[in-house]
Amino acid sequence: QVQLVESGGGLVQAGGSLRLSCAASGRTFGVYAMGWFRQAPGTGREFVAAINWGGGVINYADSIKGRFTISRDNAKKTVYLQMNSLEPGDTAVYYCVAGDYATLGLNENDSWGQGTQVTVSS
């Protein structure tokens, strides 16, 4: 029912910034958490950040804490990931996900976007 489309990825120098967006479309109803995972070549999909419906409960991976900020605009059905002080280790495909907050990214009913590439050069 819910389709997610990411945008905002690209190539950036180390220390630079990008802002990713993920817009939901189709049949959206009720409340749902949203968040971001990422996957680098040769690695598994890694949790990045999550935010609940009201925006008051947020969780970040330790690897990006203090550098990335997640936010959402429910009127626009969009979640954002502001990425500052980017490092080469942040290079990955970033995926948006929507579902229950406690199991976000792990539940078979979660909705996933197609991903957007972020490449950070040194």
Side-chain angles (χ1 to χ4, degrees):
Q1 286 186 295
V2 179
Q3 297 178 357
L4 304 176
V5 179
E6 303 97 334
S7 62
L11 175 65
V12 66
Q13 295 279 106
S17 298
L18 287 172
R19 189 171 85 151
L20 306 183
S21 299
C22 173
S25 63
R27 278 275 296 168
T28 59
F29 58 91
V31 301
Y32 50 90
M34 299 184 74
W36 296 90
F37 283 68
R38 66 187 185 185
Q39 187 166 18
T43 71
R45 193 165 294 187
E46 174 189 39
F47 171 76
V48 176
I51 184 169
N52 76 338
W53 171 262
V57 182
I58 295 173
N59 191 27
Y60 295 109
D62 288 342
S63 60
I64 58 87
K65 192 173 296 183
R67 300 187 297 119
F68 293 7
T69 302
I70 189 170
S71 62
R72 68 188 297 166
D73 184 338
N74 289 343
K76 297 180 178 179
K77 299 181 179 180
T78 300
V79 66
Y80 305 95
L81 187 68
Q82 178 67 47
M83 305 187 295
N84 299 325
S85 301
L86 283 162
E87 304 169 351
D90 297 319
T91 296
V93 178
Y94 284 71
Y95 296 92
C96 178
V97 62
D100 289 342
Y101 181 83
T103 58
L104 194 67
L106 304 175
N107 194 293
E108 62 270 19
N109 295 318
D110 290 344
S111 296
W112 291 89
Q114 295 299 307
T116 185
Q117 177 71 48
V118 172
T119 302
V120 184
S121 64
S122 60

